[in-house]
Amino acid sequence: MSFAVAEVSYWMALGYGFLAFFSPCVLPLIPAFLGVLFASKGDFLKIIGFFVGISSLFSVIGVLFGLFGNFIPTYILTWISGLALVVFGLFYLFDVELVKMKKNPNVWRYKGEGFLNGFLLGGSVGLVWIPCSSPILGSILAIVASGREPVKGGVLLFLYSLGISIPFILMGGFVNRLLNRVSFKKPVWMNVLKVVGSLSLVLVGVLILTGRFITY
């Protein structure tokens, strides 16, 4: 039995983005991000700019990795993608960050109103999530590269960015108040989410290696 990436990978990309939203190294920064984004109540253009900024960043990355896959032979790309997902799944399970943030970003420079400030804030938030969710992002990029289609790669990373930005847009005020009241020790539900996400990465990696996960 084979699993076609054409349908599954879209939902995976969205789900991985949601997992990335709860990356431990970013959770303490979320109140600041939300404070900047919602500093001006009713600033719809800033919210749109945030969405466009973070989506543009990841979509471009997706297109580039889709192009990159065309330069590697299929059998080599299959092994690279499969092994990458297995390794990244284990990294995610054991909280291994491939890239460390040296210092917290100064997002307050984008506290002004308007589309441009929202766009720059979205891009900055996306850059923060790259090192913090590196195992998750690396896994979805491995799938994108194996697909060898830049446009679909851009779509997958766009969906990944949706998984990150939707919690900001829909749960902004609530999440801001909640995260300001709780400690950042991992609750049980987050540990369960991490284990499930890690196992899904490893499973997809094994399916790719055994030829049961057909890219696109």
Side-chain angles (χ1 to χ4, degrees):
M1 181 179 179
S2 298
F3 298 83
V5 177
E7 295 83 12
V8 178
S9 59
Y10 295 130
W11 291 105
M12 285 175 56
L14 185 64
Y16 288 171
F18 182 75
L19 282 176
F21 178 79
F22 293 99
S23 299
C25 71
V26 164
L27 280 178
L29 304 177
I30 291 178
F33 292 155
L34 292 171
V36 175
L37 180 60
F38 295 101
S40 304
K41 293 184 178 180
D43 191 354
F44 185 69
L45 284 178
K46 186 174 184 179
I47 295 175
I48 293 298
F50 171 84
F51 173 75
V52 173
I54 192 171
S55 299
S56 299
L57 172 67
F58 285 110
S59 295
V60 169
I61 293 174
V63 170
L64 292 177
F65 269 77
L67 287 170
F68 173 75
N70 286 287
F71 297 97
I72 303 177
T74 301
Y75 71 96
I76 294 179
L77 195 57
T78 298
W79 278 97
I80 291 176
S81 302
L83 290 174
L85 263 75
V86 172
V87 172
F88 288 146
L90 295 175
F91 280 177
Y92 182 53
L93 180 62
F94 296 106
D95 293 325
V96 176
E97 295 175 25
L98 301 182
V99 183
K100 299 282 187 180
M101 282 196 304
K102 294 184 178 180
K103 61 180 181 178
N104 295 338
N106 179 21
V107 295
W108 289 100
R109 70 183 70 177
Y110 309 124
K111 64 182 179 180
E113 301 179 359
F115 178 89
L116 181 59
N117 277 304
F119 180 86
L120 295 174
L121 174 64
S124 298
V125 168
L127 289 174
V128 169
W129 250 274
I130 290 176
C132 279
S133 64
S134 49
I136 302 174
L137 180 60
S139 298
I140 195 67
L141 289 178
I143 295 177
V144 167
S146 65
R148 299 183 170 190
E149 296 189 36
V151 174
K152 289 184 179 179
V155 171
L156 286 176
L157 268 293
F158 171 79
L159 291 173
Y160 175 83
S161 70
L162 277 184
I164 296 176
S165 58
I166 284 176
F168 275 93
I169 305 301
L170 297 184
M171 302 187 294
F174 171 75
V175 171
N176 193 13
R177 290 192 296 271
L178 178 63
L179 292 177
N180 275 311
R181 293 182 180 180
V182 300
S183 68
F184 293 102
K185 294 181 180 179
K186 286 187 179 180
V188 174
W189 68 266
M190 189 175 292
N191 286 324
V192 172
L193 188 66
K194 182 182 73 172
V195 171
V196 172
S198 301
L199 292 178
S200 71
L201 292 176
V202 173
L203 176 61
V204 172
V206 172
L207 290 174
I208 289 177
L209 288 172
T210 57
R212 297 177 183 273
F213 202 68
I214 304 171
T215 54
Y216 296 107

